[in-house]
Amino acid sequence: MTPAAEASANTADFDAIIIGAGMSGLYQLLRLRELGLSVRVLEAGTEVGGTWYWNRYPGARFDSESYSYGYSFSKELLVEWSWSEHFSPQPETLRYLNHVADRFDLRRDIEFGARVKTAAWDEAARRWTVTLENGRRLTGRFLITAIGALSAPTLPRIPGRESFRGESHHTAEWPKEEVRFEGKRVAVIGTGASGVQTIQEVAKTAGHLTVFQRTPNWCAPLHNDKIGEAEMQAIRARYDEIFARCAETFACFLHTPDPRKTFEVSDAEREAVFEKLYAERGFGIWVGNFSDILTDKRANAAISDFVARKIRARVKDPAVAEKLIPKNHGFGTRRVPLETRYYEVYNQPNVELVDLTETPIERITETGIRTSARDHAFDMIIYATGFDALTGAFDRIDIRGSGGRSLKQHWSGGAATFLGFQSAGFPNLLMLLGPHTALGNIPRSIEYCVDWVTGLIGFMQARGLSRAEAPVTSVEDWMRTVRESSAGLLANEVSSWFTGVNTNVEGKGSRILARYSGSAPAFRQRADEVAAQGYRELDLG
Ligand code: N01
């Protein structure tokens, strides 16, 4: 046999290849099996779980309510599973996803330790050829990416990083073995949602913890609590109501915005609303607040001032409190980390805050971190430095569409998609949580996207169609909606992954239209219309 013939004989062929066995990949597998398709899921990790497999850093947990976060598609699953906390810790969520994989017998179609390196569209065969890092090849009619929006971890570009002789871990690549902090001098770089959760946990046992903060974030209390059996029973009885609520809210959380504007009420009433939200569980203070806090500067200043006062009240040293209060962006214009005694950590004698705007990091040394002020010695450095969000996981696979066009190249000035599901020039590539899909409470978005993709494939199957591509006109149309829905948001003026900025990634230093900021119901309405009209906005053949 010629090498080419041999390669082709060894190439397993499927109706659909799914990349990733996280929450999206698992549910997509289940739905495509129902259509009778042959499916192979390729998972880089050694277990199911995706985000909840990789992010095992200390203190990792949901910050949307557990019972609004789990899958809703199976009544049996809802009945048999108990959440032990209002905001489930990572080990429990990983157990849950393993339970789902077992319950629906999903593992037999999942290949673990299978990291996808390249994917190329073959127009003549109307198939994708996928190559793994180990050299194996597979082909599939459809290629479905279930690779997550926040799954490509990034390390800071600080000189000397490789020279550090102690332990170092990125939060999203945390080891499976237990990592202990007792008696150790630990550094955490980064104060986003991952950093905040890590810091408040590590501070409990570390000999000394130094937090390196470049930009403080506006954090609000999580108010987590245990869920007893009786309370879980009551939650089970309300599942229909819970998911119906998630389906109607802006970002699929349980909290609905107050329809009033910030200054429509008296000063006393406004203060009382803020106090109530600050004392309540979850994201209410962000997404259940007065309707104009994210668009009106004066309204935003009011809630920012309220949270700043809380920080000052909770942090004993006024100079430290001031460093923890954001000065270059308002409350909610970046992702709000939810915290549990985070600010009190800075009252502990074993915790120190280094403000990198005053004393930037110059380099990592063999023994620790050198700032412009001095050398800090460490046994461990934790990088809570985030992700190449939204497009990073795509960029890490060499994806080639029609005529060998590279997706990374195609998106180099910013991604362009039709509803986040497809990009022009990449037939039969279907993206779950692709750029410009509605995000919010992620599993709610996942279930919708998987159902939509399943609907499209079922539609094509029933009509003997084998090729689907979003034409440029449809992409342009959706991108117009994306632009319009983002107009007037204060978040547009702030650098964060919301606006596509990651200073650790070449070419991602400036703000772009990185995500869809309209409501989830509006997104679903648009995508439902596309389906109801027979996917006329796609080129099907
Ligand atoms: O990442 P981030 P994350 N030198 O990008 C700093 C989701 N999530 O992993 O702000 C010094 O928010 C960076 O500083 P700056 C959630 O959607 C969910 O924390 O760029 N510092 C920032 O402080 C979240 O939004 C959950 O100035 C550097 C931090 O690192 C998203 O994931 C839990 C630096 C990165 O923060 C990402 O959160 C956790 C450098 N060179 C995460 N480079 C839950 O649902 C970066 N930083 C519970």
Side-chain angles (χ1 to χ4, degrees):
M1 252 199 277
T2 63
E6 197 169 347
S8 143
N10 290 334
T11 302
D13 184 53
F14 300 91
D15 294 323
I17 293 173
I18 299 171
I19 310 178
M23 283 195 89
S24 323
L26 292 178
Y27 181 45
Q28 186 66 80
L29 167 60
L30 186 74
R31 294 300 322 270
L32 292 185
R33 267 193 197 164
E34 287 166 8
L35 292 183
L37 264 56
S38 64
V39 186
R40 176 57 55 96
V41 180
L42 302 171
E43 167 55 55
T46 58
E47 258 305 335
V48 299
T51 286
W52 301 104
Y53 168 87
W54 296 102
N55 288 269
R56 6 177 126 230
Y57 61 83
R61 64 173 65 248
F62 291 159
D63 46 20
S64 12
E65 290 74 359
S66 309
Y67 30 88
S68 76
Y69 192 99
Y71 290 114
S72 69
F73 68 83
S74 159
K75 290 261 182 269
E76 295 77 13
L77 181 61
L78 288 169
V79 166
E80 72 202 13
W81 185 262
S82 295
W83 295 106
S84 69
E85 298 184 43
H86 283 270
F87 301 92
S88 165
Q90 174 272 335
E92 181 168 314
T93 308
L94 189 57
R95 266 200 309 283
Y96 170 72
L97 293 172
N98 273 281
H99 169 73
V100 171
D102 291 333
R103 192 188 194 292
F104 297 99
D105 186 23
L106 298 177
R107 287 179 213 279
R108 65 186 155 90
D109 290 322
I110 307 175
E111 201 169 316
F112 294 101
R115 187 176 285 281
V116 175
K117 194 171 163 204
T118 69
W121 172 247
D122 177 342
E123 187 64 57
R126 292 193 166 192
R127 302 193 100 66
W128 282 91
T129 300
V130 167
T131 313
L132 304 181
E133 264 181 3
N134 65 15
R136 253 172 42 68
R137 281 159 42 117
L138 301 88
T139 55
R141 171 79 67 212
F142 294 99
L143 178 63
I144 302 174
T145 56
I147 53 183
L150 292 154
S151 52
T154 48
L155 285 163
R157 296 191 282 184
I158 302 173
R161 198 164 40 73
E162 301 298 329
S163 67
F164 180 60
R165 286 205 306 250
E167 254 181 273
S168 56
H169 307 292
H170 190 289
T171 47
E173 287 174 335
W174 200 261
K176 286 184 180 164
E177 303 72 42
E178 191 188 4
V179 177
R180 299 191 71 88
F181 311 103
E182 283 86 348
K184 292 188 182 156
R185 297 161 304 173
V186 182
V188 175
I189 303 179
T191 50
S194 305
V196 165
Q197 288 187 332
T198 303
I199 290 161
Q200 62 200 17
E201 194 59 31
V202 173
K204 290 178 185 166
T205 53
H208 193 268
L209 169 65
T210 310
V211 175
F212 290 87
Q213 170 191 274
R214 189 166 64 181
T215 313
N217 281 301
W218 294 100
C219 310
L222 178 68
H223 295 300
N224 186 28
D225 215 341
K226 299 274 183 221
I227 301 178
E229 196 35 54
E231 190 175 8
M232 193 61 228
Q233 283 298 358
I235 289 169
R236 275 195 198 95
R238 286 178 36 236
Y239 265 133
D240 285 347
E241 183 197 319
I242 287 170
F243 292 120
R245 182 81 186 280
C246 290
E248 64 189 38
T249 60
F250 192 90
C252 306
F253 294 111
L254 287 169
H255 317 270
T256 352
D258 190 318
R260 294 171 300 175
K261 296 207 161 110
T262 306
F263 293 102
E264 272 172 28
V265 301
S266 69
D267 291 358
E269 196 174 343
R270 184 166 53 254
E271 188 74 5
V273 169
F274 289 161
E275 282 291 356
K276 180 169 172 292
L277 290 169
Y278 199 78
E280 278 174 6
R281 242 175 229 137
F283 279 131
I285 193 156
W286 189 23
V287 297
N289 212 314
F290 292 113
S291 59
D292 56 351
I293 64 151
L294 302 179
T295 50
D296 181 273
K297 284 206 164 122
R298 208 169 136 244
N300 186 265
I303 180 65
S304 301
D305 173 66
F306 173 85
V307 180
R309 281 187 273 130
K310 290 291 181 193
I311 297 171
R312 288 188 189 105
R314 291 173 60 182
V315 178
K316 285 188 186 139
D317 181 336
V320 175
E322 286 316 304
K323 290 187 208 297
L324 289 165
I325 296 171
K327 304 291 190 306
N328 67 355
H329 67 281
F331 178 84
T333 59
R334 299 172 120 208
R335 160 65 144 81
V336 175
L338 294 184
E339 48 84 26
T340 305
R341 300 188 59 74
Y342 172 66
Y343 289 110
E344 285 72 13
V345 156
Y346 296 97
N347 298 333
Q348 292 180 205
N350 66 331
V351 178
E352 178 189 357
L353 179 68
V354 175
D355 182 343
L356 296 179
T357 62
E358 289 172 1
T359 55
I361 296 177
E362 288 185 342
R363 63 178 303 108
I364 311 257
T365 64
E366 286 185 11
T367 53
I369 295 177
R370 180 175 304 154
T371 66
S372 59
R374 68 174 179 94
D375 276 304
H376 298 254
F378 295 112
D379 302 301
M380 187 189 303
I381 299 177
I382 299 175
Y383 294 101
T385 45
F387 303 90
D388 185 358
L390 306 166
T391 50
F394 290 91
D395 288 352
R396 291 180 185 191
I397 302 171
D398 185 7
I399 300 175
R400 303 272 166 169
S402 300
R405 170 193 285 202
S406 144
L407 185 68
K408 185 174 178 183
Q409 209 84 57
H410 184 53
W411 284 356
S412 57
T417 68
F418 180 55
L419 294 163
F421 290 124
Q422 282 217 289
S423 192
F426 296 82
N428 290 9
L429 173 64
L430 295 161
M431 302 176 284
L432 302 170
L433 299 189
H436 317 121
T437 204
L439 289 174
N441 187 353
I442 297 282
R444 304 284 63 79
S445 175
I446 286 173
E447 283 191 330
Y448 180 80
C449 290
V450 167
D451 289 343
W452 194 92
V453 163
T454 309
L456 169 65
I457 294 178
F459 179 91
M460 292 174 68
Q461 195 184 29
R463 287 158 184 79
L465 301 168
S466 57
R467 189 182 188 284
E469 180 179 355
V472 172
T473 46
S474 299
V475 170
E476 282 173 355
D477 183 57
W478 178 242
M479 293 309 292
R480 219 174 359 262
T481 306
V482 170
R483 227 176 350 267
E484 283 163 13
S485 64
S486 147
L489 283 178
L490 298 172
N492 295 341
E493 297 159 30
V494 176
S495 296
S496 77
W497 70 261
F498 282 5
T499 46
V501 175
N502 184 327
T503 56
N504 302 316
V505 182
E506 197 74 53
K508 295 199 173 169
S510 356
R511 297 200 278 270
I512 57 164
L513 187 67
R515 60 177 196 134
Y516 165 75
S517 335
S519 77
F523 173 84
R524 288 194 301 266
Q525 190 185 344
R526 181 76 180 85
D528 282 348
E529 271 166 24
V530 174
Q533 291 168 9
Y535 306 94
R536 275 198 325 237
E537 287 158 86
L538 297 180
D539 287 337
L540 298 184

